[in-house]
Amino acid sequence: MSSFYFVILGTKDNPLYEAEFGTFKQGGDGVSRFREEQRHMNQFIAHASLDIVEEIQWNNQSMYLKVVDKFYGVLVSCFLTAGNIKFLLLHEVKSEDAIRNFFTDVYDLYTKTLMNPFYSVNQTITSPIFDQRVKQVAKKYL
Amino acid sequence: MHRQSSETVRSTIVPFSPPASKHTSMSSLAQPPMSSSSSLRFPQNRKTIYDRHLNRSKTSELSKASFAFLFGEMVGYAQKRVAGIQDLEKKLNAHGYMVGQRLLELYSWREGRSAKRETRILGALQFLTTTVWTSLFNKAADALEKSREKEDEYMIADNEPVVNTYISIPKEMGTLNCAAFQAGVIEAVLDGCSFPCNVTAHSVVSEQFPQKTIFLIKFDQKVLDREAQLGAST
């Protein structure tokens, strides 16, 4: 059963939000099945892929950069917003369209967060409602 | 003695806590979405910012009068807290900066599937003079020019800046231009696209357009370096 690790990074590569979830497809229950030692590897893999993101972001105008990196069967998909906020998703199965839809909906949620006058760019997102909505989006597409 | 009393306090809490925790877990079962957010306060209609839509229809435009009033108040507020004209412009710039950071993401979001990130100076400036200007002021900027003398300077001209419509500058503050607010918006948008720069507003008075303002954009050297590199590769 495939699991996902999702992280939002700010303009200074600082983490803003982090989530883990499993697939809901094929009778999945949405609970991530990462082993304990895999957990910190996820953060490491996400961090390592940032160099590649920075390399391709100037030769590509689209926001969705598709799969940017691979590491022992773990794929890293990236979405860059106009304001240089990075969404990274670690996954095991390739499904471009589903992940695009997921990112687009999270972008919507992120923009809404930003509309809050008490939130400023690069601040961590602690809203439980944001968290809940991201999980709903994950349930819908992943 | 003191230690003992603290222990007795703890022992009185312990028997109380299990029923309390049981109670919260029961209420969380009854209302799963709100369980972790019991301390959150909601607006009366229970609608959070995530329930509202980011699109605005043409009919829900803002009245110019209310904007002018708000902006006038903002300038007045800033004026009370600064020492000089430069400080005031800096403060207005900072206000605009916060607006610009949000506008960048919002307008990119509104472009939907055709949205793209700007990677070149010219593209970013065109995004400003068309998309941002038309969304904010319902018109495109009047001119976009590159400085002849300096490689890193660009100018955006606005013949009648909307923010200055009802602003009149007293004689003793001759050099002040409240469009510094708008300069802050520009700076934030370019900064957000990772084109760090410095933007200032300058009045260029003419017979025809007494309010004409030039926004002078001065990019960081690293932006130009990157531009040169990209230009070479494509």
Side-chain angles (χ1 to χ4, degrees), chain B residues 142-196:
Chain B
D142 292 298
L144 169 64
E145 285 165 31
K146 188 177 191 306
S147 163
R148 269 186 210 157
E149 297 99 49
K150 285 178 186 155
E151 189 67 6
D152 57 348
E153 287 184 358
Y154 287 80
M155 287 168 287
I156 297 177
D158 195 331
N159 291 340
E160 292 160 312
V162 173
V163 291
N164 277 358
T165 318
Y166 300 104
I167 301 271
S168 41
I169 307 288
K171 266 210 184 81
E172 68 271 17
M173 301 177 85
T175 56
L176 173 71
N177 189 334
C178 291
F181 175 78
Q182 206 170 319
V185 174
I186 298 171
E187 196 175 320
V189 170
L190 289 173
D191 238 12
C193 304
S194 40
F195 293 92

Side-chain angles (χ1 to χ4, degrees), chain A residues 13-26:
Chain A
D13 295 343
N14 48 327
L16 307 183
Y17 172 81
E18 203 181 27
E20 258 178 38
F21 35 78
T23 186
F24 284 91
K25 298 273 150 43
Q26 292 135 16

Side-chain angles (χ1 to χ4, degrees), chain B residues 85-98:
Chain B
I85 292 169
Q86 267 198 323
D87 254 14
L88 178 56
E89 285 193 336
K90 218 184 266 175
K91 199 141 210 155
L92 289 173
N93 190 297
H95 279 300
Y97 195 88
M98 290 195 273

Side-chain angles (χ1 to χ4, degrees), chain B residues 193-206:
Chain B
C193 304
S194 40
F195 293 92
C197 61
N198 202 0
V199 184
T200 44
H202 303 277
S203 312
V204 184
V205 182
S206 66

Side-chain angles (χ1 to χ4, degrees), chain B residues 108-120:
Chain B
S108 306
W109 183 89
R110 282 185 188 169
E111 292 198 353
R113 282 187 84 94
S114 64
K116 55 185 193 321
R117 291 174 302 111
E118 299 301 342
T119 53
R120 307 301 288 262

Side-chain angles (χ1 to χ4, degrees), chain B residues 35-48:
Chain B
S35 61
S36 57
S37 56
S38 54
S39 61
L40 277 185
R41 289 194 293 171
F42 283 86
Q44 268 184 336
N45 57 7
R46 308 289 292 173
K47 275 197 171 180
T48 63

Side-chain angles (χ1 to χ4, degrees), chain B residues 2-234:
Chain B
H2 184 254
R3 203 174 173 185
Q4 213 174 16
S5 71
S6 78
E7 262 177 22
T8 53
V9 168
R10 196 180 294 157
S11 66
T12 51
I13 287 174
V14 170
F16 270 100
S17 53
S21 67
K22 204 180 249 173
H23 180 253
T24 49
S25 69
M26 265 167 68
S27 71
S28 75
L29 274 176
Q31 289 180 303
M34 302 307 160
S35 61
S36 57
S37 56
S38 54
S39 61
L40 277 185
R41 289 194 293 171
F42 283 86
Q44 268 184 336
N45 57 7
R46 308 289 292 173
K47 275 197 171 180
T48 63
I49 202 161
Y50 298 107
D51 295 306
R52 296 171 59 177
H53 212 261
L54 286 168
N55 267 325
R56 279 275 172 271
S57 59
K58 276 260 177 328
T59 50
S60 60
E61 281 174 348
L62 187 70
S63 109
K64 199 173 173 184
S66 59
F67 170 75
F69 181 67
L70 186 68
F71 187 69
E73 281 299 309
M74 205 187 85
V75 174
Y77 177 86
Q79 203 176 355
K80 276 181 214 148
R81 283 159 179 78
V82 293
I85 292 169
Q86 267 198 323
D87 254 14
L88 178 56
E89 285 193 336
K90 218 184 266 175
K91 199 141 210 155
L92 289 173
N93 190 297
H95 279 300
Y97 195 88
M98 290 195 273
V99 175
Q101 284 183 316
R102 292 170 167 80
L103 290 181
L104 170 63
E105 295 286 10
L106 183 64
Y107 292 154
S108 306
W109 183 89
R110 282 185 188 169
E111 292 198 353
R113 282 187 84 94
S114 64
K116 55 185 193 321
R117 291 174 302 111
E118 299 301 342
T119 53
R120 307 301 288 262
I121 289 180
L122 212 60
L125 289 173
Q126 265 160 1
F127 173 78
L128 262 173
T129 52
T130 52
T131 312
V132 174
W133 237 264
T134 40
S135 312
L136 280 179
F137 312 121
N138 224 349
K139 60 168 188 181
D142 292 298
L144 169 64
E145 285 165 31
K146 188 177 191 306
S147 163
R148 269 186 210 157
E149 297 99 49
K150 285 178 186 155
E151 189 67 6
D152 57 348
E153 287 184 358
Y154 287 80
M155 287 168 287
I156 297 177
D158 195 331
N159 291 340
E160 292 160 312
V162 173
V163 291
N164 277 358
T165 318
Y166 300 104
I167 301 271
S168 41
I169 307 288
K171 266 210 184 81
E172 68 271 17
M173 301 177 85
T175 56
L176 173 71
N177 189 334
C178 291
F181 175 78
Q182 206 170 319
V185 174
I186 298 171
E187 196 175 320
V189 170
L190 289 173
D191 238 12
C193 304
S194 40
F195 293 92
C197 61
N198 202 0
V199 184
T200 44
H202 303 277
S203 312
V204 184
V205 182
S206 66
E207 279 283 292
Q208 203 186 352
F209 301 111
Q211 292 274 31
K212 184 170 178 172
T213 301
I214 301 271
F215 298 99
L216 185 68
I217 303 163
K218 192 172 166 58
F219 286 104
D220 270 17
Q221 186 57 40
K222 64 176 179 190
V223 176
L224 297 177
D225 292 348
R226 187 180 64 210
E227 188 80 2
Q229 211 177 2
L230 283 176
S233 67
T234 46

